Amino acid sequence: CELHRSIFSTKYQHYLSQTKLTIMSRYHRVRKTPVVLLSATFCWSLAAALNGNPPEQVQSLTDVICGGRPRSQCEVELDVPEACATDGLGTDPSCPIVFFLHGSGGTNNWFAKTSGVHDANMIGVYPQGEGGWNTGPKTTNNCHWSDYDCTDDPDEGDLIASIIEHIRSLGGTGNVYAYGNSNGAALAHRLASNGGAQLPIKGII
């Protein structure tokens, strides 16, 4: 964005010098400000975009979402039909955002082929759990169930909330739903029962 700012400012100053206009410094500042603001707005609109993808060619949010989490299998796929893309141009299709949650021992690999989001104009989110989802006390957990300060186990609520926040930042404004199978269904219910500002789950499927 600094490059755009520099170009706009330079062109504006060149215009003033070439036309030999005598302008008071106060008037010059007033006229120049909208040009810089326009450049900043333009840069922001290009950065914040929810891009569409063809069926079965999902986008990856893994690098954005998974870093720094106590997970070894973390992966997040994003599936956006072209009808739901914002492309940074201010469009607002308000497509529903649906999380597809696999069961214990399952994977997210098959949702791109079976979710049907491109036919229904829904945004699909396919996260990968640690073999399953941390929906209750498990023998594999490092933290005792009553130790609320422990952060050594996967925090599913924080994971889903972070994904929602990122999609919102790209322009996705639709209602959020959760679909789950087996252990994934348990997580869908847990997310909905703890719904709120950070987990705005409108319903489970």
Side-chain angles (χ1 to χ4, degrees):
C1 286
E2 289 300 322
L3 176 61
H4 287 288
R5 182 188 181 98
S6 175
I7 291 174
F8 273 83
S9 300
T10 302
K11 286 185 176 181
Y12 187 82
Q13 294 169 358
H14 179 70
Y15 169 79
L16 293 180
S17 63
Q18 289 298 311
T19 53
K20 298 181 179 181
L21 295 176
T22 303
I23 303 174
M24 296 174 59
S25 60
R26 180 179 177 184
Y27 182 65
H28 173 69
R29 288 195 298 271
V30 172
R31 290 293 302 275
K32 183 177 179 180
T33 301
V35 178
V36 176
L37 290 177
L38 174 62
S39 175
T41 302
F42 177 71
C43 293
W44 177 87
S45 67
L46 288 179
L50 190 62
N51 297 315
N53 59 267
E56 300 186 34
Q57 297 183 31
V58 295
Q59 306 170 52
S60 176
L61 296 182
T62 301
D63 290 343
V64 176
I65 300 297
C66 295
R69 299 182 184 277
R71 296 173 179 267
S72 60
Q73 302 178 39
C74 186
E75 181 184 45
V76 183
E77 295 179 344
L78 180 65
D79 202 355
V80 183
E82 291 296 339
C84 300
T86 61
D87 294 326
L89 300 178
T91 56
D92 181 15
S94 299
C95 291
I97 301 166
V98 184
F99 282 80
F100 291 79
L101 308 170
H102 63 77
S104 179
T107 73
N108 62 344
N109 293 338
W110 57 291
F111 289 127
K113 295 182 178 180
T114 63
S115 67
V117 296
H118 286 264
D119 294 328
N121 285 340
M122 302 185 301
I123 296 171
V125 185
Y126 318 136
Q128 174 65 48
E130 297 300 296
W133 301 103
N134 190 21
T135 55
K138 294 184 177 181
T139 57
T140 55
N141 284 356
N142 296 313
C143 305
H144 189 269
W145 67 268
S146 61
D147 186 357
Y148 299 109
D149 294 326
C150 182
T151 58
D152 294 336
D153 293 323
D155 185 338
E156 314 301 9
D158 180 67
L159 173 70
I160 302 301
S162 297
I163 298 171
I164 295 173
E165 181 182 14
H166 183 69
I167 294 175
R168 293 286 194 235
S169 74
L170 297 177
T173 61
N175 290 334
V176 181
Y177 302 89
Y179 165 87
N181 175 53
S182 189
N183 183 221
L187 177 57
H189 280 269
R190 185 171 184 179
L191 294 171
S193 63
N194 288 277
Q198 292 182 305
L199 285 172
I201 308 298
K202 289 294 184 179
I204 54 178
I205 304 171

